[in-house]
Amino acid sequence: MAVPAAAAHAFVTDLDAPDLRPDDEHHLFRALRLRPGEAVTVSDGAGRWRRCTVGARGLEPAGDVVVEPRSEPPIAVAFALTKGERPEWVVQKLTELGVDEIRPMTTRHTVVRWDHGRRAKAMARLREVARSAAMQARLAWLPAIGEPCGFDDALAAFGAGRVAVAHPGGQLV
C-alpha cells in the first residue's frame, strides 16, 4: 500500500532522525526544489513510514511513525534474464506494482550470463532501480531483490503450491 500524498517520498535508515542520502537530497532540494514547510514522507523500507516537513536543516519529523502491514499473500516473481536494460525495466514495473520479492532467473534458453564481477554490479543496480521505483510509487516496503538462480531453484524458493508458470501450456505447480 502507498503512503499518503506529499511533495515527495524518500527512504531513510532512521525515522526519528531522517537523514537523506546525498543523491536523494539533491533530488528533493535541487530537482524538485522543495521549500521549507513542504510535506515529505519517509520510510525505512520495512513497512514503517512517517510524515516530515522540510526544515531549515533538512527534514523534520512532523507526525507519528505508522506501520504499514505487508500485503497478504506475499507476491514473488522470478523473471528470465534478458539483454540490455530490460531487467531494470522489469524490476521497476514489478516494484511499482507492489511485488514483495523479485528474482532474476536463468533458464535453459537464457542467453544472458552474468559472471561474478558483472553479477555484483548488476544486482546493485537492480536494487537501486527498485528503491527509486518504490520512492516514485510512495511505497512503505522495499521489495527483496534475490540473487539470480535457475528455474528449479526459483520454484523451490517460492514454495510449491503457490507458483504459476507463465509459459505456453504452463500450469499451477
Side-chain angles (χ1 to χ4, degrees):
M1 177 166 216
V3 298
H9 181 70
F11 288 99
V12 296
T13 55
D14 184 356
L15 294 175
D16 293 324
D19 287 327
L20 297 167
R21 291 184 352 183
D23 55 332
D24 294 336
E25 189 172 302
H26 180 270
H27 178 69
L28 267 58
F29 301 120
R30 299 279 190 228
L32 296 180
R33 298 181 180 168
L34 297 184
R35 300 290 177 233
E38 291 192 74
V40 175
T41 53
V42 294
S43 174
D44 63 2
R48 295 168 16 118
W49 64 272
R50 161 179 250 167
R51 184 177 295 278
C52 294
T53 57
V54 175
R57 294 184 304 187
L59 299 180
E60 299 171 358
D64 294 331
V65 173
V66 177
V67 178
E68 191 72 44
R70 181 90 70 186
S71 61
E72 285 295 327
I75 299 172
V77 174
F79 68 94
L81 284 173
T82 58
K83 293 180 181 179
E85 296 177 358
R86 288 312 228 184
E88 294 174 7
W89 184 85
V90 169
V91 167
Q92 178 188 41
K93 298 309 171 194
L94 290 174
T95 300
E96 290 170 354
L97 288 170
V99 171
D100 300 298
E101 182 180 357
I102 303 168
R103 186 174 291 237
M105 178 178 60
T106 57
T107 67
R108 118 182 93 178
H109 298 291
T110 302
V111 175
V112 175
R113 303 283 181 207
W114 288 344
D115 62 19
H116 182 68
R118 173 119 200 269
R119 178 186 212 155
K121 184 177 177 182
M123 291 305 297
R125 176 69 184 137
L126 292 181
R127 289 184 178 103
E128 193 59 34
V129 166
R131 185 179 183 280
S132 295
M135 285 173 59
Q136 180 70 25
R138 290 168 162 54
L139 301 178
W141 288 91
L142 284 171
I145 308 296
E147 290 294 320
C149 64
F151 181 79
D152 292 336
D153 292 332
L155 286 178
F158 293 155
R162 64 178 202 112
V163 176
V165 178
H167 184 276
Q171 57 188 346
L172 189 61
V173 191

